[in-house]
Amino acid sequence: MFDLKSYRNKNKLLIIGSILFVILAYFLSFSKTLDLYIQNKGLEKKAILSQNAPEKIRNLKKQLGIYEAKMQKFGQDSLSKDEYRLNILTQLCKENNVVMVSLPESFFQKEATESIETQEIKLRGNFIDLLKLIYTIEYKTSLGMLASVKFVTEEDRRMRVQYLYAYLYIQNLKNRKNEN
């Protein structure tokens, strides 16, 4: 089989055996240990982040209170907020050559301490103009958080023309204590 008398063959077998031993040791013990080490590091990071969570929650509640105080300072109730939103959207639509097709009443989802107001807006225009308007709403106005955008092409059967519509969903978080 093998001539074990020469030192060269013995050294080759020793090197091959040690490589096989290292590979076997890695797969049987070291790989599991490394996986657990990486998982432990991730959990330690999450634990550190969770220690700061109550402080972050307090800061966010303070900011929410400040923003709500500013809104009350301007004397905007829910009707004037809708008028404000309509005025801003109308101005943005004129600037971007977009048609506002519908602006139905807001939908409220009530949770334990806050409620989420969702406003659906249907716009019609070309793709670039709609994207410019969406960018402006999301980054340059204070209408709320842009939660979702959906693009749909619909055909006007009378005119036999296809139009591109964008459905925008804008959400606002409200404290239920201050809603009264």
Side-chain angles (χ1 to χ4, degrees):
M1 188 164 143
F2 287 110
D3 185 20
L4 296 177
K5 292 183 181 177
S6 72
Y7 288 110
R8 179 179 276 176
N9 288 339
K10 288 180 184 179
N11 285 337
K12 285 181 185 178
L13 286 176
L14 182 63
I15 290 172
I16 292 172
S18 60
I19 290 173
L20 288 175
F21 176 75
V22 169
I23 292 172
L24 185 64
Y26 174 77
F27 282 112
L28 291 180
S29 63
F30 296 139
S31 66
K32 294 175 186 175
T33 304
L34 289 176
D35 290 341
L36 289 175
Y37 176 76
I38 292 169
Q39 183 181 7
N40 186 29
K41 286 294 182 184
L43 291 175
E44 285 176 355
K45 287 180 184 178
K46 286 183 181 180
I48 290 170
L49 290 175
S50 67
Q51 289 174 351
N52 298 335
E55 182 180 328
K56 287 181 182 179
I57 290 172
R58 273 186 255 119
N59 289 339
L60 289 174
K61 284 185 179 181
K62 286 180 187 177
Q63 286 179 348
L64 179 64
I66 291 169
Y67 292 144
E68 287 178 349
K70 286 181 181 179
M71 291 298 285
Q72 289 175 356
K73 179 181 175 184
F74 292 119
Q76 294 180 340
D77 58 353
S78 63
L79 180 61
S80 62
K81 285 180 188 177
D82 289 339
E83 290 173 1
Y84 170 75
R85 194 176 293 145
L86 180 62
N87 288 338
I88 295 290
L89 285 171
T90 304
Q91 180 182 3
L92 291 174
C93 285
K94 284 181 184 177
E95 291 173 4
N96 292 298
N97 299 326
V98 174
V99 177
M100 187 181 334
V101 177
S102 68
L103 182 70
E105 198 170 314
S106 299
F107 170 77
F108 289 93
Q109 180 181 0
K110 297 184 178 180
E111 298 292 330
T113 58
E114 59 271 327
S115 65
I116 300 172
E117 175 188 13
T118 304
Q119 178 76 49
E120 178 186 2
I121 303 165
K122 184 177 180 182
L123 304 171
R124 181 179 71 206
N126 67 33
F127 186 70
I128 300 297
D129 291 338
L130 287 171
L131 281 181
K132 288 178 184 176
L133 179 70
I134 291 167
Y135 175 82
T136 305
I137 289 172
E138 187 171 9
Y139 294 109
K140 296 183 180 180
T141 64
S142 60
L143 294 177
M145 183 187 82
L146 190 60
S148 176
V149 176
K150 178 181 172 184
F151 292 98
V152 177
T153 57
E154 295 177 7
E155 183 177 352
D156 185 2
R157 295 182 192 260
R158 282 187 245 150
M159 304 293 278
R160 294 185 182 175
V161 177
Q162 284 191 344
Y163 293 110
L164 178 65
Y165 291 95
Y167 292 89
L168 279 65
Y169 296 91
I170 298 176
Q171 291 184 335
N172 288 304
L173 182 67
K174 293 185 177 183
N175 230 355
R176 289 188 73 183
K177 296 174 189 173
N178 296 335
E179 269 187 16
N180 299 335

